Amino acid sequence: MIVDCAMYREGRRSAAPDDFSDALDEARATGDAFLWVGMHEPTEKEFEHVSQEFGLHPLAVEDALTAHQRPKLEVYDDSLFVVLKPVMYDEASDTVSAGELMLFIGDSFVVTVRHGEGAALAAVRHRLEHEPEVLRHGPTAVLYAVSDAVVDHYIEVAAELQADLEELEAEVFSPNPSDSKNTAARIYGFKRQVLEFRRATSPLLAPMDRLAFGNVPFVHEHAQPFFRDVADHLTKANEYIEGLDRLLSDALAAHLAQMGVRQNDDMRKISAWAAMAAVPTMVAGIYGMNFEHMPELKHRWGYPLVVLVMVAMCLGLHRMFKRRGWL
């Protein structure tokens, strides 16, 4: 569906013909205007009319309809096609979800196609309409503002993930850790969310570098410093993500090491108690043999003496294991 359609002249919203073709002809005739059409999950029939009016390339149209694309930048004869992947982080379920945002940039027009619930462009459009000096630069200003908003949100999501990771680290290194299986599952789940995040940010580095340092058609030549700023923020977001991934790997290694240490402690305790149980078992086993000639069998103090010896040996072993930290 078409969410919004407007013509901008000299950086300000103005009235435009209802027909896309007439509005585009008018924008091109004046030279200081452009048309911005915003769509959300359009059907093939809805997008067919738009693609015909603006002369969009069939391959780019197919990508915009099917979605599930990697971030990329493609140049066609009559338009520039850019794919961005905005991300959202749900604190309740600790999950990262990625939407898709496609931009067609051409001569005096911008078409944005959004998939998913995230990355609503109403705020970006509203901000640009209050900055006419920026919007005056035409479709390039829209591409910059949308890219900047998406990348800035990457950093916000990375900060939220960092806060949750600190809680997870506190749980891993707690003196009274909770269920180890649950902790390991949380770490693996967290790594999957970071991987999903990385799939949105890492492939975008090359397109942003191209916009920041290359000569891209349909992009204003003086816009490179602004895209360099976006590329710097994107690099910062990727560094955040790489740091999160390393910290998660370290936390998982530390958790597994702690599990090994606790298992060793448990085995030492079990071995110590087994050793103390073996002493009276051995003595009782010896005196339980049914031989006729055995010492102390008919001695009056034989039984108390043997019991005393077993208790003394068990106490001696207990003290030794205690001093060595086995108990």
Side-chain angles (χ1 to χ4, degrees):
M1 60 177 292
I2 296 178
V3 179
D4 199 355
C5 177
M7 178 182 288
Y8 295 92
R9 198 186 312 273
E10 286 294 328
R12 300 188 181 278
R13 189 166 183 149
S14 62
D18 294 333
D19 185 74
F20 288 148
S21 180
D22 295 339
L24 187 58
D25 290 341
E26 182 179 330
R28 289 173 174 171
T30 59
D32 59 356
F34 72 96
L35 196 65
W36 182 357
V37 179
M39 309 186 74
H40 179 236
E41 296 183 354
T43 63
E44 184 175 353
K45 184 176 181 180
E46 290 173 338
F47 200 58
E48 181 180 2
H49 176 63
V50 175
S51 62
Q52 289 177 352
E53 293 293 342
F54 291 99
L56 305 180
H57 196 278
L59 292 177
V61 170
E62 181 182 356
D63 289 345
L65 287 173
T66 57
H68 304 294
Q69 303 296 316
R70 297 175 76 249
K72 61 182 179 179
L73 184 153
E74 294 181 352
V75 179
Y76 297 101
D77 293 335
D78 299 322
S79 63
L80 178 70
F81 181 56
V82 180
V83 178
L84 305 172
K85 291 184 76 70
V87 296
M88 300 291 292
Y89 182 59
D90 185 3
E91 293 185 5
S93 58
D94 294 336
T95 55
V96 173
S97 58
E100 290 194 39
L101 184 58
M102 290 85 166
L103 295 94
F104 294 87
I105 310 294
D107 182 14
S108 301
F109 72 86
V110 178
V111 178
T112 56
V113 181
R114 181 167 59 90
H115 292 269
E117 297 301 324
L121 296 180
V124 177
R125 187 187 289 262
H126 184 266
R127 178 167 62 85
L128 281 174
E129 289 178 351
H130 284 78
E131 298 177 353
E133 67 281 359
V134 177
L135 199 55
R136 188 178 289 114
H137 292 88
T140 302
V142 177
L143 176 59
Y144 161 70
V146 172
S147 302
D148 186 56
V150 170
V151 172
D152 283 348
H153 193 60
Y154 286 162
I155 297 177
E156 294 175 8
V157 172
E160 293 178 358
L161 286 172
Q162 178 68 39
D164 287 350
L165 177 57
E166 290 175 358
E167 295 179 4
L168 186 58
E169 286 179 325
E171 179 180 329
V172 170
F173 296 103
S174 172
N176 298 312
S178 58
D179 184 13
S180 59
K181 292 183 179 179
N182 184 52
T183 301
R186 286 190 61 193
I187 295 175
Y188 275 113
F190 212 122
K191 286 184 73 68
R192 290 186 64 87
Q193 304 312 314
V194 171
L195 177 61
E196 182 70 19
F197 198 177
R198 176 173 284 177
R199 287 173 180 166
T201 61
S202 294
L204 188 58
L205 284 170
M208 280 299 131
D209 284 343
R210 189 175 176 185
L211 289 170
F213 301 102
N215 186 14
V216 181
F218 307 107
V219 176
H220 200 282
E221 58 182 0
H222 298 300
Q224 287 185 351
F226 298 95
F227 285 108
R228 280 199 291 270
D229 181 67
V230 177
D232 288 342
H233 290 178
L234 180 61
T235 301
K236 181 179 179 181
N238 274 285
E239 290 174 351
Y240 257 123
I241 297 169
E242 291 176 3
L244 289 172
D245 191 50
R246 286 195 297 269
L247 286 173
L248 282 168
S249 297
D250 293 343
L252 180 59
H255 174 67
L256 295 177
Q258 286 182 331
M259 289 182 61
V261 170
R262 286 196 293 269
Q263 288 176 350
N264 288 336
D265 289 340
D266 293 341
M267 288 302 298
R268 288 192 301 181
K269 291 178 181 179
I270 294 172
S271 300
W273 287 110
M276 287 187 290
V279 171
T281 302
M282 179 187 67
V283 175
I286 291 174
Y287 283 94
M289 293 186 292
N290 297 320
F291 292 110
E292 182 177 354
H293 301 288
M294 289 186 68
E296 292 89 28
L297 285 180
K298 297 183 178 181
H299 196 282
R300 181 177 181 181
W301 301 102
Y303 175 73
L305 181 62
V306 170
V307 172
L308 182 63
V309 169
M310 288 191 295
V311 172
M313 294 180 68
C314 289
L315 289 175
L317 289 172
H318 185 275
R319 183 179 180 184
M320 182 184 69
F321 291 138
K322 195 76 171 178
R323 293 173 65 181
R324 294 186 178 182
W326 285 35
L327 293 174

